[in-house]
Amino acid sequence: MRSWLIAICCCFLLAPKQIFAQDLEADKLKFKEARMLLYDEPEKAISISKSLLKTEKTPDQIANIYMLISNAYVAKRDIDSSLYYIMRTSDLLTTNVKTVTKIRILNTIGVQYQQMDLFDKALENLEKSEALCRTLPAKDYDRNFNLNFIDAVRGMIYRSQSNPEMAINKFVPAISFFKNLATEPKNDANISVFSYNLAYCFLELKNYNQAKNYFDEAIFYGKRSGTKSLEAFAYKGMADNYYTQHDYKKSLEILAAAEILAKDVSDLSLKEGIYEITRDNYLALNDWTKYQSYNELLRLTRQKKQDSELKSLNRLMNLQNQDFQKKLSKSEKQFSIYQIIIWSIVILALLIMLKRILDFRKRNKTLTQKLGSQLTD
């Protein structure tokens, strides 16, 4: 009987821990699911992530969820909402989060600014991230992973700045590093993105064979990651390669595959690219009807994209204004403190001087009285 009661008590004591462990495992699975849906179903990824925020308490995990939400909005090309969440993430940099979390936050901010073509801000955050990476042990996985990721993002910036040679020097070793990692969707997605950008560097240099090789890699890894949008981007790039070489029919064949993959994807930049190259192909083939059709699709897509970008720029300006106001307020407070200190010192000095003057007068008066009494005597 006694042992039975003890067993029951143990069950009650262990039950909360088991439930807690089960909840943690369930949250991990949800987070993993949201990450898998990041590119192809960003809305669903956002919904899952926001539900996780209701139960999550640790700053590190909150930061990870914010970054996931921000990246999901980037996938939707809703830069305004993405910026909102990444700024909330940046607030956690001053909290007691792990160094690796800080690195990931800075990387995400860097990518955010890179997406907005604010390259100086992007590079600034990447430099901060790199400095933190250097504090980790030389053979640490997170150190090497993030250093290569940082270089790859720098490569994307250099490519955008029309410096393909510098970009290639960043991409090649980074891609090689990611290829040596374990096969998993996250790594495959990174390889696909970076190979796509590397291919465009070779395309800009008119090295069409190398461009094709890397577009092929981008297609392969995009497909293996299970991400339709990345696969579609890679097909779009391959089509661009053929278009540049005036093989318009081949280009259109590949674009048709890209358009099917992109059908249910909310990435406006992807659709913009597909519509633009398709339109240009039909223009080259003198197919005016289809040219006009895709030109209209392109116009509408660009309008949506510009509206989104305008909102994000407004938010960025507001955030910068808030940051300026905070700094100004801080400066004013510091100035006020300095003023108080200075005036306190001045008043104290005046009081000391006044006391000395009064003491001096008192001594003079005493001496005068003594002298007077001596003269009288």
Side-chain angles (χ1 to χ4, degrees):
M1 179 72 174
R2 188 178 175 184
S3 60
W4 180 71
L5 285 170
I6 291 169
I8 290 175
C9 289
C10 287
C11 285
F12 277 112
L13 287 168
L14 290 171
K17 291 183 180 179
Q18 288 173 341
I19 292 167
F20 180 68
Q22 287 170 358
D23 287 344
L24 278 177
E25 191 59 34
D27 284 351
K28 281 182 183 177
L29 289 171
K30 283 182 181 178
F31 185 81
K32 190 174 181 180
E33 182 190 0
R35 200 164 60 186
M36 291 289 291
L37 296 167
L38 183 62
Y39 293 104
D40 290 340
E41 296 184 66
E43 277 291 353
K44 201 168 180 181
I46 291 163
S47 177
I48 293 169
S49 300
K50 285 183 177 178
S51 71
L52 288 172
L53 280 175
K54 295 174 184 176
T55 56
E56 195 50 62
K57 296 290 185 289
T58 66
D60 288 277
Q61 194 56 33
I62 289 169
N64 288 331
I65 295 168
Y66 279 156
M67 284 186 278
L68 183 57
I69 294 172
S70 175
N71 288 333
Y73 277 119
V74 168
K76 288 183 64 181
R77 286 301 186 270
D78 184 348
I79 304 300
D80 178 53
S81 299
S82 174
L83 188 62
Y84 170 75
Y85 277 97
I86 202 57
M87 288 301 110
R88 291 189 71 176
T89 309
S90 68
D91 292 338
L92 296 170
L93 282 169
T94 55
T95 64
N96 192 28
V97 293
K98 297 173 185 174
T99 300
V100 174
T101 303
K102 288 181 181 179
I103 290 167
R104 291 189 65 242
I105 290 171
L106 289 166
N107 285 349
T108 307
I109 295 171
V111 171
Q112 177 78 61
Y113 283 127
Q114 179 262 329
Q115 292 279 332
M116 297 173 72
D117 292 343
L118 298 170
F119 301 129
D120 288 342
K121 295 285 286 181
L123 290 169
E124 179 188 326
N125 281 279
L126 293 175
E127 283 170 14
K128 290 178 184 176
S129 179
E130 182 180 356
L132 284 175
C133 286
R134 301 286 178 195
T135 66
L136 299 174
K139 293 184 179 180
D140 185 85
Y141 170 82
D142 289 307
R143 170 194 167 105
N144 294 313
F145 180 96
N146 285 291
L147 284 174
N148 280 280
F149 182 84
I150 289 164
D151 272 349
V153 177
R154 282 178 175 146
M156 292 166 75
I157 292 169
Y158 297 147
R159 184 207 146 195
S160 298
Q161 293 175 327
S162 300
N163 199 334
E165 291 91 350
M166 279 184 71
I168 289 168
N169 290 335
K170 294 295 181 183
F171 282 131
V172 171
I175 290 169
S176 177
F177 171 83
F178 285 109
K179 282 181 179 177
N180 287 322
L181 297 179
T183 300
E184 58 176 274
K186 180 180 72 172
N187 293 332
D188 286 340
N190 280 330
I191 296 168
S192 181
V193 170
F194 301 144
S195 295
Y196 166 86
N197 280 276
L198 177 56
Y200 261 107
C201 291
F202 284 113
L203 183 55
E204 287 170 31
L205 295 170
K206 295 183 171 56
N207 189 337
Y208 303 120
N209 288 332
Q210 278 287 64
K212 182 183 181 302
N213 290 338
Y214 282 106
F215 280 130
D216 276 332
E217 283 201 359
I219 291 167
F220 172 78
Y221 285 102
K223 188 178 291 184
R224 199 168 79 172
S225 74
T227 310
K228 288 181 181 178
S229 60
L230 295 182
E231 193 180 349
F233 261 114
Y235 275 123
K236 188 269 297 181
M238 184 70 84
D240 204 359
N241 193 29
Y242 281 110
Y243 169 77
T244 307
Q245 297 174 75
H246 311 296
D247 192 343
Y248 306 122
K249 289 184 179 178
K250 182 68 175 176
S251 179
L252 284 169
E253 283 176 24
I254 297 169
L255 284 166
E259 194 169 351
I260 291 167
L261 286 166
K263 185 180 178 182
D264 298 321
V265 176
S266 54
D267 192 320
L268 293 173
S269 287
L270 171 59
K271 290 180 178 178
E272 178 189 24
I274 291 170
Y275 296 152
E276 183 176 19
I277 302 168
T278 305
R279 179 201 65 176
D280 292 347
N281 270 295
Y282 283 124
L283 178 63
L285 293 169
N286 294 319
D287 190 331
W288 296 106
T289 304
K290 288 183 178 176
Y291 165 81
Q292 288 174 336
S293 174
Y294 276 94
N295 191 53
E296 180 61 13
L297 284 170
L298 179 61
R299 186 189 67 78
L300 293 171
T301 304
R302 279 183 174 162
Q303 186 60 55
K304 286 181 186 176
K305 190 180 172 188
Q306 285 169 5
D307 291 344
S308 175
E309 287 171 349
L310 184 61
K311 280 175 67 181
S312 64
L313 284 172
N314 286 335
R315 185 182 289 276
L316 181 63
M317 287 172 67
N318 289 334
L319 287 168
Q320 287 180 332
N321 185 49
Q322 288 172 16
D323 187 47
F324 174 75
Q325 291 297 330
K326 282 179 185 176
K327 287 178 181 176
L328 183 63
S329 177
K330 187 178 178 182
S331 298
E332 286 174 349
K333 283 179 183 176
Q334 287 177 338
F335 182 69
S336 298
I337 291 166
Y338 292 145
Q339 278 188 317
I340 291 167
I341 293 168
I342 290 166
W343 278 111
S344 297
I345 292 168
V346 169
I347 291 167
L348 183 63
L350 287 171
L351 288 170
I352 292 168
M353 286 177 66
L354 182 61
K355 187 176 184 302
R356 285 182 177 178
I357 290 167
L358 291 171
D359 288 344
F360 181 72
R361 285 182 177 179
K362 189 176 179 181
R363 283 198 300 271
N364 277 351
K365 188 177 180 181
T366 304
L367 285 169
T368 303
Q369 287 173 349
K370 282 183 179 180
L371 284 169
S373 62
Q374 286 175 1
L375 288 170
T376 305
D377 293 341

